[in-house]
Amino acid sequence: MVLIRKEIETFFRTPDDNGKRIGSHTWGIYAFYDYDGEPIYVGQTYEGLGSRIGRHLTNQRTDAVAMNVLDPFEVAEIRVWPLNLASMAKDARREYLDRAEFTVFQRVIQESKLGAVLNEKPPKETEAIDLPKSYSHRIIPESIYPHRKHPDIRIARRAATIASLARRISERSVKRGLRNTLLTQAKRLECLAEARLKDFPAGAEDEDQKQD
């Protein structure tokens, strides 16, 4: 975890095209991607890109993590869209943030093989905007990347997340959004397990049995 935190800190210390540190931007939109480049979560912040994303991905749990909507282990890459809204009135900032989040959300839905991400609630539907430049960074160091990316590790982790989410749903009255997240997680698990099965061609087990 220390190595991952260092990668996150390094990214947020990186200057944008205007020379401002990426993580120091107060307003912005962010998206998380897994080890297959699949988008899994989109959010907005008005409290600072560095602090908000850091809370998602480190020990400072957010609602999305606490509710088993987002598993930080799944996040291999982060992408951010810093926004300079200092000159806007408060209401205008909120409106612009919503529009920016909606625009990013629509973009990642189109990128997704499943046409879905894990957000419990989609952003408010509004008019899309022309987004500013985005910045992205893989936060998993090379020394642990192969282990984290291994499909069997991810299948086990994803199955555990689904079980925790399903148990949470069974213990309380929840709305449609959380159930939709459960369905998306189940589809993600199915895709990963199906892809992993292709690593073991049909007939290979028969050959092993013949040798026995």
Side-chain angles (χ1 to χ4, degrees):
M1 193 61 194
V2 173
L3 295 176
I4 297 173
R5 186 178 287 111
K6 286 183 178 179
E7 287 290 336
I8 297 172
E9 292 173 352
T10 297
F11 175 51
F12 284 133
R13 285 197 300 267
T14 303
D16 63 15
D17 287 354
N18 297 316
K20 183 175 181 178
R21 288 183 301 167
I22 292 173
S24 67
H25 281 268
T26 303
W27 302 278
I29 310 300
Y30 55 91
F32 297 149
Y33 292 78
D34 70 10
Y35 292 82
D36 299 314
E38 177 76 8
I40 55 178
Y41 193 82
V42 175
Q44 63 163 263
T45 184
Y46 48 84
E47 62 186 58
L49 278 171
S51 59
R52 178 61 176 172
I53 293 175
R55 294 215 326 271
H56 271 309
L57 302 182
T58 60
N59 291 330
Q60 302 177 55
R61 293 160 66 88
T62 59
D63 288 345
V65 175
M67 292 293 290
N68 300 113
V69 170
L70 174 69
D71 178 10
F73 189 94
E74 291 269 18
V75 181
E77 179 182 339
I78 55 181
R79 182 174 297 170
V80 299
W81 289 259
L83 303 174
N84 184 9
L85 309 183
S87 62
M88 293 185 179
K90 185 176 181 179
D91 290 345
R93 291 174 187 166
R94 172 60 69 183
E95 180 182 356
Y96 193 91
L97 266 176
D98 288 343
R99 293 177 64 187
E101 183 182 22
F102 176 75
T103 304
V104 171
F105 189 84
Q106 293 301 310
R107 177 179 294 186
V108 302
I109 288 296
Q110 292 177 358
E111 294 176 0
S112 170
K113 296 176 182 178
L114 296 175
V117 291
L118 297 174
N119 293 64
E120 181 182 355
K121 298 178 182 178
K124 180 174 65 175
E125 187 169 347
T126 182
E127 293 184 16
I129 63 170
D130 292 329
L131 293 166
K133 180 178 178 178
S134 66
Y135 301 85
S136 61
H137 185 72
R138 195 182 85 182
I139 63 171
I140 308 301
E142 189 61 39
S143 60
I144 61 175
Y145 188 84
H147 173 75
R148 286 233 175 183
K149 183 178 170 60
H150 195 285
D152 288 344
I153 300 296
R154 295 163 62 208
I155 287 170
R157 183 84 183 201
R158 203 168 288 181
T161 298
I162 290 173
S164 296
L165 179 57
R167 183 175 62 253
R168 187 174 294 276
I169 289 173
S170 72
E171 293 172 347
R172 62 181 66 187
S173 176
V174 300
K175 297 181 179 179
R176 178 182 176 87
L178 204 57
R179 296 181 184 277
N180 193 59
T181 296
L182 177 64
L183 177 60
T184 301
Q185 283 282 30
K187 289 179 178 179
R188 283 171 47 76
L189 176 59
E190 180 183 22
C191 288
L192 188 56
E194 186 176 19
R196 180 57 169 154
L197 187 61
K198 292 179 182 178
D199 293 333
F200 301 87
E205 292 180 357
D206 294 339
E207 291 298 324
D208 291 340
Q209 290 174 0
K210 288 178 182 179
Q211 294 177 6
D212 292 341

